[in-house]
Amino acid sequence: MKKKIAGLVEKSISACVAAGLMAESDLPYIEMEVPANPDHGDFSSNAAMILASRAKQNPRRFAQAIRDHLHDTEGILEKTEIAGPGFLNFFVKDSFWRQSLSDILNSKESYGRLNLGGGRKVQVEFVSANPTGPLHIGHARGAVVGDVLAALLRVAGYHVSREYYINDAGSQMDNLGKSVLYRYRELFGEKTDFPESCYHGGYITEIAREIAQLEADVYLEKNEKDAIAYFNSVASEVIMEGIKKDLRDFGVTFDSYFSEKELYRENGVNDLLTSLRERGFIYSDGGTLWFKTTDYGDEKDRVVIRQNGEPTYFAADIAYHQNKFSRGFETLIDIWGADHHGYIPRLQASIQALGHDKNDLKIILVQLVNLLRAGQPVAMSTRAGEFVTLREVLDEVGKDAARYNFLMRRSDSHLDFDLEVAKKQSNENPVYYVQYAHARICSILRLAAEKGMAKPSCENCDLSLLSGPEEKALMKMMAAYPDMLEGAAKSLEVHRITFYLNELAAVFHSYYNKAKVVTDDAPLSAARLVLVEALRVVLKNALKILGVGAPEKM
RNA sequence: GCGCCUGUAGCUCAGCUGGAUAGAGCACCAGACUACGAAUCUGGGGGCCGUAGGUUCGAAUCCUACCAGGCGCGCCA
């Protein structure tokens, strides 16, 4: 609807230009907003004001000209007003809002699907935690944001792939193996001086114990290097399995897992560096190789091969992103913890050196989570092995509540996550507000069925009976659902879906307390059943994108 | 010191690419179940949009400086 009206305005402006009333316009798009105040219409545009200010003309005169040249061929508009300094306010005929109800009932679960992406291949890479320990609460937020963003883009018509990058090649992996080895030795009574830099969590000891049970003390004799290599491969595998299971139970699944080791196995890192060197992006200085990231705005050049001959993490990451592009993805989206923001310029620089546009790689920063229990901060330290794991959160508050809580803020805004509030089944917890709306509607529909009423259908149903303010508001909000999704997809902001749901549920709850759906008035009941059935569909579709359940009973 | 993010009601936060009278939830106060589910609803108080300038028809939104908090500034990942 929004687009239709914007289209009308666009054509009208062209007509005005043709009629010599305006100079050539170069508006990139027609801004069309839904005014907060219903007196200002269903949609409002400031196009006349923008054009007039560029032409140094009277905005109201421009607005008049646009209105005069409007050709409402479909008869969408009830009226068009010029208001204030030069706003064009559009009032849509009620019949067009009712039309969206039958759209929804016909499209069902595909209502809201867009063709924004045109099938373009997009990859969303997220979580990507090192397999050195279980996922904790901090990872959970990134997991949900990535998962929902992928789902959103899929609905918006992109071909989306979810990927987890396993950092299994760096020095922290040696630390992991070493940590297990030390615990293993302890199990056989050796005294060790457990290093500060190693992982202290209890899970390390458990892995050591498993190895000890299966293979006894054979690794006490072997040389340390081999033992560490073996221990870290066992440990990372065990831990990775745990991570996958936790994510699955959190409703997060991936299409692929990409191992950093893989890059080295295929010699990808060296090949890439060679080709970059040939093209002059890499130079040697002081026994190390440097990437000229300053060519693309980074504040200093970055090392790719260390003095000891080992490639840096950055080197592998360039190769990894190159690999992503070579797999045919046109847009890459990386989801990172906000503490990695300093890394953005060099990675952006590197993909540009590889010949891609800066915008082909979008990085979404997710701020860290501030974990609370009943208002009191919960201390966490990964090194010391003191952290609240994702598993514990899942067990304590449940998947739906946890996910919803992570989606209630813009991702680059700090988030307080209070375990006590999140598990409360009360009005302090917004998940239930929306789920309750869905369950209530299902309850109404069950009752209607019990009473032998026909299933909601737009056939032989007088939808013009839906004339109350809440009914109109609900129809308009549901009609705006695709616009909301489009905005969220374009801006990559998943929290918009949550806010939309809260608003929609609020209007419904208010309506529910005012009006009865199932009554003795058969035509009115039929119309209202159509309305709530449409609502049920929209709620369910949106919740599905969020990966949050839409229960029929609670 | 330099860079990035944040600063909006008592608390937690929305506010879409600059628009019309700045919103929501929680908390607080007062009300609503013989009505399809009260995990709900109705009403109320509450604001120098961090501060000061600037841009313009118009600024919470854009620019500059400053203040406060967070994060980053490695041949770690």
Side-chain angles (χ1 to χ4, degrees), chain A residues 449-468:
Chain A
E450 276 168 30
K451 292 206 168 183
M453 292 183 173
K455 276 190 177 176
S457 161
C458 296
E459 309 290 320
N460 306 318
C461 180
D462 184 6
L463 295 176
S464 69
L465 295 171
L466 300 173
S467 56

Side-chain angles (χ1 to χ4, degrees), chain A residues 78-230:
Chain A
E78 179 75 41
K79 60 177 174 176
T80 304
E81 288 179 350
I82 295 167
F87 287 105
L88 280 158
N89 294 337
F90 303 95
F91 295 78
V92 176
K93 283 183 186 165
D94 285 346
S95 56
F96 274 81
W97 296 120
R98 286 182 225 125
Q99 178 62 39
S100 65
L101 291 181
S102 57
D103 286 351
I104 296 167
L105 262 52
N106 290 332
S107 327
K108 287 262 166 54
E109 54 277 353
S110 62
Y111 179 68
R113 204 164 283 173
L114 308 169
N115 192 25
L116 204 62
R120 276 196 299 283
K121 283 185 78 177
V122 176
Q123 188 211 55
V124 183
E125 182 222 317
F126 59 111
V127 188
S128 298
N130 303 336
T132 55
L135 294 182
H136 55 75
I137 184 82
H139 297 117
R141 188 179 186 187
V144 176
V145 169
D147 183 58
V148 175
L149 185 60
L152 169 65
L153 293 176
R154 204 163 275 178
V155 165
Y158 290 89
H159 189 280
V160 184
S161 186
R162 295 169 162 90
E163 183 157 292
Y164 187 121
Y165 181 51
I166 308 173
N167 296 148
D168 50 8
S171 56
Q172 86 275 3
M173 295 310 290
D174 281 339
N175 266 345
L176 176 66
K178 197 188 282 178
S179 305
V180 178
L181 177 64
Y182 277 58
R183 292 302 188 208
Y184 175 84
R185 286 176 178 165
E186 284 173 3
L187 290 174
F188 291 98
E190 281 188 30
K191 275 201 174 151
T192 61
D193 197 3
F194 200 80
E196 188 63 33
S197 62
C198 280
Y199 298 97
H200 291 239
Y203 61 94
I204 297 287
T205 313
E206 276 173 43
I207 293 167
R209 190 169 292 132
E210 267 179 54
I211 296 175
Q213 272 168 9
L214 288 170
E215 311 186 56
D217 60 355
V218 296
Y219 295 99
L220 292 177
E221 306 304 324
K222 290 212 172 166
N223 84 55
E224 183 161 316
K225 207 177 168 205
D226 292 346
I228 287 176
Y230 175 70

Side-chain angles (χ1 to χ4, degrees), chain A residues 123-126 128 162-167 256-260 262-263 268-269 272 313-327 329 332-334 336 347 351 354:
Chain A
Q123 188 211 55
V124 183
E125 182 222 317
F126 59 111
S128 298
R162 295 169 162 90
E163 183 157 292
Y164 187 121
Y165 181 51
I166 308 173
N167 296 148
S256 54
Y257 294 84
F258 194 97
S259 159
E260 186 181 356
E262 213 48 45
L263 290 170
V269 178
L272 176 80
Y313 174 83
F314 176 48
D317 217 15
I318 304 168
Y320 175 44
H321 284 80
Q322 165 73 327
N323 178 289
K324 293 181 182 188
F325 282 120
S326 72
R327 281 185 273 157
F329 295 111
L332 306 179
I333 299 174
D334 287 6
W336 296 352
L347 195 59
I351 70 140
L354 292 168

